[in-house]
Amino acid sequence: MIRDDMRAPTAEGTLAALQSLQEIGLPMTPLLPVEIGGMQCRAKAEVLQPVGAFKIRGAWWRLVNLTEEERARGVVAVSSGNHAQGVAWAARKLGIRATIVMPRNAPQVKLEATRALGAEIVLYDRPGEDRDEVAAKLIEERGSVLVHAFGDPWVIEGQGSAGHEANAQLGKIPSRFIVCCGGGGLAAGLALACPEAAIHVVEPQGWDMVGRSLDAGEIVRVGDDPPATICDALQPDATKTINLGVLQGRAEPGVMVTDEEVREAQRFAFAKLRLVVEPGGAAALAAALAGKVPVDAHTVIMLTGGNTDAESFARTLTGV
């Protein structure tokens, strides 16, 4: 579903995306001090975006770059929730019809929030149905434009706008970004925006297809029977060539985190930063807290999403 002739994302594109987001008044998310292992580093609170996740950046930059003819045909996206809300938010603001293919078992809070933003939701069974096939059928029937969650140059550039913000807030290029990683859109965007910074991708245990792809130098798919994970936002089957092309030779070796390390990071963020962070949004913090990635005074940890329901978050906090 990703065209082979799609252009490559650029560093200049990340700056243009930032300017576009500033023009619509999207607030700069705070860069918060956080102490880990006696070292004070920084956490970028993307959980405070209007849709509760960084995905709003790439969704906006993709949709605002559609032609008038493409806008008239509408857009289709595939997402478990955060990209869905970003696309729905941007589509509503631009007056574009948005259809989102979402798993039937997606968190209810994400399904409801996407509907509330005016998008049409088409459900599929996970596992069991191929979400890309569902989306492809809709695109063929309607002539809509695919807004891929990570394998799109405009989406990658939009996510990279967060790197320029962190640079301005820190007063210098960060030494490293620790990044929650699903398909690699945010990691690739940050690599373009801040080429001097190390990029550490963090994935759930057993879902390390970006890390393995970086090691192999080619796309590696998740196995046929991957383990369950609480990080619903970090479960693509594989990265895309466009993402690997940016990250290859730039990203550090990938690391994995367990569900319990993620839960501990959620508790830490709530206690120390007063933030609600969903499991997938806490993976980078989990890696830092577990000592799997080094931190220094100029490290930026990406807290990428906060869309979790009260019941499951309460269970995480109480350990019940």
Side-chain angles (χ1 to χ4, degrees), residues 227-244:
T229 174
I230 60 173
C231 298
D232 66 277
L234 307 180
Q235 291 183 274
D237 293 334
T239 188
K240 297 292 184 182
T241 301
I242 191 171
N243 305 89
L244 187 59

Side-chain angles (χ1 to χ4, degrees), residues 50-64:
V51 299
F54 75 98
K55 293 285 191 177
I56 196 171
R57 297 176 181 274
W60 171 260
W61 186 233
R62 182 65 188 102
L63 266 62
V64 81

Side-chain angles (χ1 to χ4, degrees), residues 45 119 146 150 157 170 201 240 281 287 303:
L146 173 68
F150 53 86
E157 290 168 350
L170 196 60
V201 297
K240 297 292 184 182
L303 302 178

